[in-house]
């Protein structure tokens, strides 16, 4: 689908809902890793086109040679450290984040950092824009503000 402007230029309109990428945290590779998920939750781990389903919660660490994931049964799984590791589940994934527990409904991507430290990585959520916007509004506006203010902020965030 496209739209033509009066100056003859064409603008291609999106055919699907955009995905927002949100950096949740940066790991330098020297800590205890990141804990994701809950007990009795199946978590899908995707790397190099293959998917492995493990019981949660999982702990994720990265060295210069491998991603190491320890699952809820204390089994260790290894994946190539130069690939992204993608986590998703049939319900939101829990993450201890910035002093509190948060739930993330999108997929979580463990992305090798371009940092000089070869074990560094970023945890990035991929979420549909319409699922992302309510959290932006709640996080940036006060409860008593008018509906017009919320509408304007929603347009700006989009």
């Amino acid at each position: 689908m496209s739209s033509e402007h009066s100056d003859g230029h064409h603008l291609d309109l999106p055919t699907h809902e955009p995905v927002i990428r949100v950096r949740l945290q940066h790991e330098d590779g020297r800590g205890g890793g990141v804990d994701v998920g809950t007990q009795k939750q199946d978590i899908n781990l995707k790397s190099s086109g293959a998917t492995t389903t493990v019981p949660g919660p999982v702990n994720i660490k990265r060295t210069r040679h491998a991603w190491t994931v320890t699952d809820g049964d204390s089994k260790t799984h290894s994946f190539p450290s130069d690939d992204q590791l993608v986590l998703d589940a049939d319900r939101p994934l829990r993450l201890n984040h910035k002093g509190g527990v948060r739930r993330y409904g999108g997929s979580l991507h463990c992305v090798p950092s371009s940092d000089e430290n070869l074990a560094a990585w970023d945890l990035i959520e991929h979420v549909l824009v319409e699922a992302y916007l309510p959290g932006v509004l709640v996080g940036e506006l006060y409860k008593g503000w008018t509906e017009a203010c919320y509408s304007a902020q929603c347009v700006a965030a989009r």
Side-chain angles (χ1 to χ4, degrees):
M1 181 183 286
S2 68
S3 173
E4 186 170 335
H5 289 252
S6 59
D7 63 2
H9 287 92
H10 290 278
L11 174 64
D12 290 327
L13 299 176
T15 58
H16 60 281
E17 186 177 352
V19 173
I20 302 293
R21 291 183 301 273
V22 182
R23 182 180 182 199
L24 302 177
Q25 66 189 69
H26 174 77
E27 289 293 312
D28 63 10
R30 291 179 271 178
V34 174
D35 295 319
V36 177
T38 59
Q39 289 183 351
K40 310 256 188 232
Q41 180 178 30
D42 287 336
I43 298 173
N44 302 312
L45 307 171
K46 299 174 187 171
S47 177
S48 301
T51 301
T52 304
T53 302
V54 300
V58 296
N59 177 270
I60 306 162
K61 297 179 185 174
R62 181 175 181 252
T63 66
R64 64 182 346 170
H65 304 291
W67 292 103
T68 303
V69 178
T70 304
D71 68 26
D73 290 338
S74 300
K75 294 180 183 169
T76 301
H77 309 268
S78 293
F79 303 91
S81 69
D82 53 343
D83 289 341
Q84 284 190 31
L85 180 63
V86 180
L87 290 78
D88 67 27
D90 62 350
R91 62 182 194 267
L93 290 165
R94 188 188 76 185
L95 173 68
N96 292 326
H97 180 63
K98 295 183 180 177
V101 175
R102 291 211 160 155
R103 297 187 190 297
Y104 296 96
S107 59
L108 301 182
H109 294 239
C110 303
V111 180
S113 177
S114 58
D115 190 321
E116 290 181 20
N117 176 352
L118 294 176
W121 58 285
D122 294 312
L123 183 62
I124 299 172
E125 180 188 26
H126 288 210
V127 63
L128 295 172
V129 70
E130 293 302 322
Y132 172 73
L133 288 174
V136 170
L137 298 179
V138 167
E140 294 183 1
L141 300 176
Y142 293 105
K143 184 178 181 180
W145 287 8
T146 67
E147 186 176 331
C149 183
Y150 276 83
S151 296
Q153 181 62 26
C154 190
V155 169
R158 237 184 218 108

